């Protein structure tokens, strides 16, 4: 897979970030094509075909690429930790939606109210970033899926 930086999907959507299009470095086939539009339910409306000309469902990735809200599971007050630096970067760069730090050990992370668990969040989030020890990842992901 290679990155084509000449295409800017993010720029076309009106954001200021630099976009990148991904394409397979293997042989071209109808299955490697992707649809450029969808019906909002994650289904392709044209262009993408699999074997036998059957349409390929293209998932809606807008929650991943343009989330309206973010939970940082494992957010921390400790400088230099992944959870601390990631949360700080979201705050410093003025993410436009709510950012929820999830940390069972405290009531605030960097002066922002924290939540003890994903289940305790006031709303479901578009994007959950899991930055916990490996032994706790599966439990965190399952909590997100149940939400």
């Amino acid at each position: 897979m290679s990155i084509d930086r000449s295409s800017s999907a993010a720029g076309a959507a009106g954001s200021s970030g630099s976009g990148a299009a991904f394409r397979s470095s293997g042989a071209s086939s109808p299955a490697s094509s992707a649809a450029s539009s969808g019906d909002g339910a994650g289904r392709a409306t044209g262009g993408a075909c699999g074997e036998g000309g059957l349409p390929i469902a293209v998932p809606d990735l807008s929650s991943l690429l343009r989330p309206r809200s973010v939970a940082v599971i494992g957010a921390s007050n400790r400088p230099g930790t992944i959870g601390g630096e990631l949360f700080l970067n979201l705050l410093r760069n003025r993410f436009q939606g709510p950012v929820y730090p999830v940390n069972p050990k405290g009531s605030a992370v960097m002066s922002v109210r924290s939540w003890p668990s994903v289940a305790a969040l006031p709303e479901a989030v578009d994007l959950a970033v899991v930055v916990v020890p490996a032994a706790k990842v599966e439990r965190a992901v399952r909590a997100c899926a149940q939400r």
Side-chain angles (χ1 to χ4, degrees), residues 6-146:
S6 64
S7 165
S8 179
S15 81
S16 61
S18 64
F22 297 105
R23 54 182 174 192
S24 172
S25 59
S28 177
S29 71
S32 67
S33 299
S36 60
S37 63
D39 64 359
R43 293 182 295 268
T45 57
C49 293
E51 284 196 34
L54 297 175
I56 296 173
V58 178
D60 180 7
L61 298 177
S62 61
S63 293
L64 175 65
L65 301 175
R66 290 183 303 279
R68 291 169 292 176
S69 57
V70 177
V72 179
I73 304 167
S76 172
N77 283 310
R78 291 183 302 170
T81 63
I82 296 172
E85 295 299 318
L86 179 75
F87 187 69
L88 184 60
N89 283 332
L90 286 166
L91 296 178
R92 281 186 179 158
N93 290 297
R94 297 186 177 108
F95 178 76
Q96 294 299 306
V99 180
Y100 299 108
V102 177
N103 187 322
K105 295 180 183 175
S107 61
V109 173
M110 298 183 194
S111 301
V112 176
R113 178 184 177 185
S114 68
W115 304 89
S117 67
V118 172
L121 292 173
E123 65 177 328
V125 295
D126 283 347
L127 178 64
V129 182
V130 178
V131 287
V132 297
K136 297 180 180 182
V137 169
E138 182 179 351
R139 185 175 12 167
V141 172
R142 287 187 186 278
C144 292
Q146 291 174 353

